[in-house]
Amino acid sequence: MNRAELKPRNEYTDEKRIIGEVLGSEKGPTMVVFSGIHGNEKAGVLAAEKVLARIRRENLYFKGNVHFILGNIPALNQDVRFKDADLNRIWTPDKINDLKDESFLMDSETREQIQIYALVKEIVSTEKGPFYFLDLHTTSSPSVPFITISDSLNNRKFASHFPVPVVLGIEEYLEGPLLTFINDHGYIALGFEGGQHTDPESIVNCEYFIWKSLVHSGCIDRGQVKDYDIYRDHFASLCCSHQFFEITYRYALSNGQDFVMRPDFENFETIHKDQLLAFSKGMEIRAERKGRIFMPLYQKQGEDGFFILRKISRIWLEFSKVARTWKINHFLRLIPGVKQDPENEFILLVDPKIARFLTKDIFHLFGYRQQIFKDDKMHFIKRDRKRTQML
Ligand SMILES: [Zn+2]
């Protein structure tokens, strides 16, 4: 693999928004693969191009369809994460509503969002599914590859095919990621972080992730992918293991905040309470709790300094699956201080004073994640959804 491939290429245009599509000769699932949602993350784009070229070159038999879609085109051309706003933080219901208003002030990422949204809507309204959405990223710190998902059972099930760590519940800490928006409409949506931005291995990791997704969704028969086992062994050699983690802490950065992470942290590295992690405005930033460091920031752009993770036990995962499958979650509404949002069947409004004996963990167990804090109420949103129409 050649590091030169990851050098900036000033060649992306709106006409190339769709990197390519494969329309299968038999009915089957639809897969949508996004890459370059962050413009300085090229590995996913290259992996998409390579997979697409190989499907065509080897004329692989394909069921269903796959669409490879490019993310932030102006940012890709300038090799920056974003120009005006992070394209992976603007998929909130309010922002989506604003898109309909033509007088709305249009920044660079809003233009990208409008085009991507139109494509996604067209795909989900003209094809039958089942649908699988993938979003390929890379990190500024060295990292084993990993998956991020909203904690729905269909996401968990699909993610469990991959021998890499899976991080749940990132939507509780980030506002407006693209895949949370898609998952909110009932679709399976997996984020994949292939490794460090400039590491050529990240391209291989993204390729493997795409191939494996195509096989497990049923688009391609495994026997057709000649080096499938090589890819699998490649992952094993990275010492990846399939474990679930949950975010317990986020160090958020305000706009322009001076922030320097201490060098040499690797993603998922174990840290102890009070360990010195970073500096900001000459002050030490120490770990508020023990756990694993996650996504330490080693680049200028970004709103997250770092996160802290904890491992989730298998027992918790199994129990929460049973609880959700048997719909025991309905009992949550009977608890004083918890009521259904009259305007949204998927949201529980929780009075933090009355329901203070409940921890967030209980809501997590039953498949709810805190979305926002509004009008003195915590809003917990249900992750397991039936498919709903995009407006
Ligand atoms: Zn990214």
Side-chain angles (χ1 to χ4, degrees):
M1 195 55 65
N2 188 348
R3 191 172 286 270
E5 284 185 293
L6 284 160
K7 287 263 161 65
R9 299 185 300 174
N10 187 11
E11 60 179 46
Y12 303 101
T13 60
D14 282 354
E15 289 71 44
K16 291 186 188 166
R17 171 77 63 196
I18 299 174
I19 301 171
E21 293 169 301
V22 181
L23 308 177
S25 34
E26 208 181 315
K27 278 187 185 145
T30 288
M31 183 161 287
V32 179
V33 184
F34 300 107
S35 57
I37 290 288
H38 291 134
N40 59 335
E41 301 176 13
K42 302 276 194 307
V45 181
L46 289 161
E49 290 170 348
K50 281 170 185 252
V51 171
L52 181 68
R54 187 166 155 199
I55 294 171
R56 287 175 175 163
R57 192 173 60 242
E58 297 182 8
N59 201 17
L60 300 183
Y61 189 78
F62 209 90
K63 284 185 208 161
N65 306 321
V66 59
H67 309 266
F68 292 96
I69 297 177
L70 209 50
N72 197 334
I73 290 168
L76 277 161
N77 284 330
Q78 294 182 17
D79 201 35
V80 290
R81 183 177 168 91
F82 58 83
K83 286 189 70 182
D84 301 319
D86 191 329
L87 184 56
N88 207 25
R89 300 286 186 276
I90 55 177
W91 298 83
T92 58
D94 287 349
K95 181 72 200 292
I96 300 290
N97 254 329
D98 284 347
L99 297 180
K100 293 178 208 138
D101 178 1
E102 287 177 6
S103 65
F104 183 71
L105 189 63
M106 191 87 73
D107 63 17
S108 182
E109 274 70 25
T110 304
R111 276 190 292 273
E112 301 301 289
Q113 187 179 24
I114 287 171
Q115 291 184 19
I116 294 167
Y117 189 33
L119 278 174
V120 170
K121 270 203 297 192
E122 196 192 320
I123 291 168
V124 297
S125 61
T126 55
E127 297 179 29
K128 286 214 165 61
F131 293 92
Y132 297 84
F133 288 85
L134 312 178
D135 188 13
L136 307 175
H137 289 258
T138 47
T139 53
S140 62
S141 65
S143 177
V144 293
F146 63 95
I147 288 170
T148 59
I149 53 170
S150 294
D151 185 17
S152 62
L153 293 181
N154 57 2
N155 272 349
R156 268 198 216 172
K157 193 173 169 202
F158 197 63
S160 65
H161 291 302
F162 302 85
V164 298
V166 178
V167 179
L168 299 181
I170 200 163
E171 73 273 25
E172 206 160 44
Y173 291 86
L174 303 181
E175 222 197 336
L178 168 62
L179 290 190
T180 302
F181 169 74
I182 286 172
N183 195 236
D184 280 351
H185 290 82
Y187 303 108
I188 291 172
L190 268 63
F192 181 71
E193 303 271 353
Q196 196 176 26
H197 300 328
T198 55
D199 184 352
E201 288 284 310
S202 305
I203 308 172
V204 181
N205 294 338
C206 289
E207 276 181 78
Y208 175 81
F209 178 70
I210 300 170
W211 283 118
K212 215 162 156 48
S213 300
L214 290 171
V215 167
H216 289 293
S217 61
C219 288
I220 285 185
D221 184 58
R222 173 190 178 140
Q224 287 195 85
V225 188
K226 270 182 263 151
D227 42 9
Y228 194 74
D229 291 343
I230 297 175
Y231 282 135
R232 187 198 54 207
D233 295 345
H234 164 82
F235 263 97
S237 72
L238 297 175
C239 306
C240 294
S241 60
H242 179 66
Q243 289 178 328
F244 281 89
F245 292 91
E246 180 169 51
I247 295 175
T248 57
Y249 179 84
R250 170 189 181 226
Y251 185 84
L253 297 177
S254 52
N255 210 355
Q257 179 180 340
D258 125 80
F259 175 83
V260 185
M261 195 78 211
R262 284 192 68 207
D264 302 328
F265 279 113
E266 279 213 25
N267 230 355
F268 298 99
E269 187 177 324
T270 304
I271 53 165
H272 57 80
K273 189 174 182 321
D274 295 327
Q275 184 171 337
L276 181 59
L277 301 178
F279 294 95
S280 181
K281 301 170 211 155
M283 305 279 279
E284 290 181 343
I285 300 162
R286 290 181 178 272
E288 198 180 79
R289 61 192 72 190
K290 67 173 185 178
R292 310 279 191 110
I293 192 101
F294 182 56
M295 308 263 265
L297 187 71
Y298 289 112
Q299 63 189 14
K300 282 205 181 88
Q301 283 183 307
E303 295 164 355
D304 319 306
F306 58 87
F307 298 86
I308 298 176
L309 301 178
R310 75 164 169 231
K311 208 175 138 185
I312 307 176
S313 72
R314 296 251 161 223
I315 295 169
W316 187 92
L317 287 165
E318 281 306 314
F319 185 58
S320 73
K321 191 170 144 191
V322 172
R324 294 187 213 178
T325 310
W326 288 84
K327 303 208 185 317
I328 302 170
N329 51 342
H330 289 314
F331 104 93
L332 284 173
R333 287 177 223 160
L334 305 175
I335 299 171
V338 179
K339 66 171 190 177
Q340 183 79 53
D341 184 341
E343 287 164 22
N344 189 328
E345 59 171 315
F346 300 117
I347 293 180
L348 292 179
L349 305 176
V350 180
D351 183 334
K353 283 182 243 115
I354 299 171
R356 67 176 174 272
F357 63 94
L358 294 174
T359 63
K360 266 191 192 181
D361 291 346
I362 290 186
F363 290 92
H364 291 175
L365 193 66
F366 291 108
Y368 287 82
R369 294 271 158 179
Q370 189 180 347
Q371 186 198 25
I372 43 168
F373 193 87
K374 203 165 109 186
D375 303 329
D376 294 333
K377 296 273 189 300
M378 296 154 90
H379 291 226
F380 280 89
I381 188 156
K382 195 175 179 210
R383 300 304 344 161
D384 298 293
R385 304 285 188 85
K386 291 217 167 57
R387 247 196 246 171
T388 52
Q389 210 181 348
M390 288 188 183
L391 299 170

